[in-house]
Amino acid sequence: MERMASDPILTPALRFLDENIDVNAFRAKLRKIRTIEQFQREMMVPLCSALVAKTMTRFTSSGAERIDASYGTLYVSNHRDIVMDAYLHQIVLDQYGKPTCHITFGSNLMEPQFVVDFGMSNKMFRTDRKTSNIRSFLRSSMHLSAYINYVVSHGDSLWIAQRNGRTKDGRDHTEPGLVRMLLMNGNEKAQVEALHITPLSISYQWEPCGILKAVERYRTLDGKPYVKAQGEDLQSIITGITQQKGNVHLAFGTPIDESGFSDPLKREDIAAIATQIDAQVWREYRLWDTNYVAYDLLNDTTRFAGCYDPALKEQFIAKMENDIAAYPSLDSAALREIYLKIYAGPVYNSPDALK
């Protein structure tokens, strides 16, 4: 608390939310915090509410009334924004009087110190990214799996993304390797039931860091891995938090059905679990007018013209072209196609949209 209260980054962060805020009074209040629960209740709830009001037209949720806090739950979410996905989940849990959950926190995001302190004060814990050292990564994965199972078995809940890193193509697929990691300790089939794996589906009218994701995808078209610049993750965190998001919806699914799986689980069972998660994420995803506009532009059609206002279409095109213009050295046609695919991806995923 002392480090965060003394960090100079706190002033511009608070001024963004409220230009008239008394920063010194906020720092003094922060120094008096003694528990995570107190920090989240007294600091995070009002801060997140202010952030929603400032950067969103409307934030809604569905399915939260089914939450049963009498046992632990593993929430597996599609991942569109580094910070906001998990924190919007926390807001809804608080709105329904449920305990907040633990959150996975990629090791690549653990800088600067303010971000680390802020994350750990919100029940976030470190997860290691895959490396070339397979033995070390296996040990790390087993440790992570054991910790996740420990948290849920003790009645707490936990948020984890369905894949390593954010979705960059708009298609929201669960990595089977994630499912395998979750079940590395003990009886696999029993773990599936004990974890109460529940999908979450979050959808933004305006894609967080849309152009940054498109540029990253563009720079991997040659097949080479993308190497992030120093401070790039922090830029994405700040951009995702501060940019306008329009309408946002968070949908809670239902625990996946473990019946019919073999014991121990086979490769096809692992794939089936990932498929169940995907099916719920896609079904519950709230398609916005921007998704339909992107599909029509990508396919040079007016198939979904009835799903958006012409003025919104012009707004979307203007924003896209303005975003692309910031990268004059890149092939604008290729970048535009990637950009549109990010927005159009959920339409392709939807079980009903293209019928």
Side-chain angles (χ1 to χ4, degrees):
M1 292 302 107
E2 178 59 40
R3 280 199 302 267
M4 284 198 291
S6 302
D7 199 304
I9 198 175
L10 193 61
T11 298
L14 293 173
R15 293 278 188 234
F16 170 76
L17 294 173
D18 181 359
E19 61 183 19
N20 298 315
I21 194 170
D22 187 334
V23 177
N24 288 329
F26 187 93
R27 293 181 190 276
K29 186 176 180 180
L30 192 57
R31 289 186 171 100
K32 295 179 181 179
I33 298 296
R34 292 293 178 267
T35 68
I36 287 176
E37 289 71 22
Q38 183 187 9
F39 177 77
Q40 292 188 317
R41 183 177 63 255
E42 297 182 12
M43 312 300 281
M44 288 307 302
V45 169
L47 284 176
C48 286
S49 297
L51 186 61
V52 167
K54 190 174 183 67
T55 67
M56 300 178 195
T57 305
R58 190 181 182 205
F59 173 52
T60 55
S61 66
S62 59
E65 67 280 357
R66 295 192 298 267
I67 297 173
D68 187 343
S70 66
Y71 53 77
T73 299
L74 175 63
Y75 294 102
V76 180
S77 176
N78 64 331
H79 194 21
R80 296 305 182 101
D81 185 75
I82 294 174
V83 170
M84 295 306 299
D85 296 350
Y87 278 98
L88 290 174
H89 179 218
Q90 300 285 55
I91 288 175
V92 176
L93 290 176
D94 180 74
Q95 288 174 342
Y96 279 80
K98 309 299 182 182
T100 55
C101 66
H102 298 249
I103 303 170
T104 53
F105 194 47
S107 57
N108 58 305
L109 304 175
M110 300 196 76
E111 58 177 357
Q113 186 63 48
F114 182 88
V115 173
V116 177
D117 290 337
F118 180 83
M120 295 182 70
S121 299
N122 278 286
K123 299 183 182 179
M124 299 182 82
F125 61 94
R126 174 191 175 106
T127 61
D128 291 322
R129 288 295 187 95
K130 191 171 185 178
T131 66
S132 56
N133 188 329
I134 301 301
R135 182 173 297 179
S136 175
F137 180 69
L138 178 60
R139 284 199 303 268
S140 174
S141 297
M142 293 184 70
H143 184 75
L144 174 61
S145 178
Y147 181 70
I148 289 173
N149 280 271
Y150 172 84
V151 168
V152 176
S153 69
H154 282 71
D156 290 328
S157 295
L158 189 146
W159 180 98
I160 192 169
Q162 67 179 165
R163 46 164 292 129
N164 185 11
R166 292 166 296 161
T167 299
K168 305 295 197 318
D169 60 2
R171 299 306 291 265
D172 296 322
H173 284 289
T174 302
E175 292 180 348
L178 169 76
V179 179
R180 174 59 69 188
M181 179 277 294
L182 296 173
L183 307 176
M184 293 176 79
N185 294 268
N187 183 291
E188 293 176 338
K189 188 172 182 180
Q191 282 180 285
V192 174
E193 182 177 6
L195 286 170
H196 301 106
I197 300 172
T198 302
L200 293 176
S201 185
I202 190 162
S203 51
Y204 297 84
Q205 184 181 22
W206 296 99
E207 183 73 15
C209 303
I211 187 60
L212 299 181
K213 295 173 183 177
V215 169
E216 182 174 335
R217 291 278 295 177
Y218 176 92
R219 289 178 170 156
T220 59
L221 292 176
D222 58 3
K224 296 179 181 178
Y226 181 75
V227 179
K228 292 183 180 180
Q230 182 71 27
E232 188 171 337
D233 282 324
L234 181 59
Q235 179 191 4
S236 293
I237 289 174
I238 295 172
T239 302
I241 290 174
T242 59
Q243 74 173 114
Q244 292 300 309
K245 304 166 188 66
N247 295 311
V248 183
H249 185 76
L250 175 64
F252 287 72
T254 56
I256 64 168
D257 181 9
E258 77 284 354
S259 63
F261 294 153
S262 58
D263 192 6
L265 299 184
K266 299 177 181 178
R267 182 189 298 268
E268 52 266 34
D269 295 321
I270 298 296
I273 293 172
T275 298
Q276 278 198 45
I277 295 171
D278 288 347
Q280 290 202 45
V281 168
W282 299 347
R283 185 183 69 238
E284 299 295 338
Y285 194 98
R286 178 72 57 86
L287 290 174
W288 302 110
D289 43 16
T290 49
N291 302 121
Y292 292 119
V293 166
Y295 179 93
D296 278 359
L297 290 173
L298 184 65
N299 295 281
D300 192 22
T301 181
T302 58
R303 177 172 182 171
F304 292 109
C307 297
Y308 52 82
D309 188 277
L312 182 282
K313 180 178 180 179
E314 294 306 313
Q315 180 186 358
F316 180 92
I317 293 173
K319 173 175 169 51
M320 175 177 65
E321 296 303 330
N322 184 64
D323 287 344
I324 292 173
Y327 298 87
S329 64
L330 306 186
D331 182 333
S332 59
L335 190 56
R336 186 178 296 106
E337 181 178 358
I338 295 170
Y339 191 100
L340 289 173
K341 284 181 176 178
I342 291 173
Y343 275 93
V347 180
Y348 287 101
N349 286 345
S350 172
D352 300 317
L354 297 177
K355 283 184 178 180

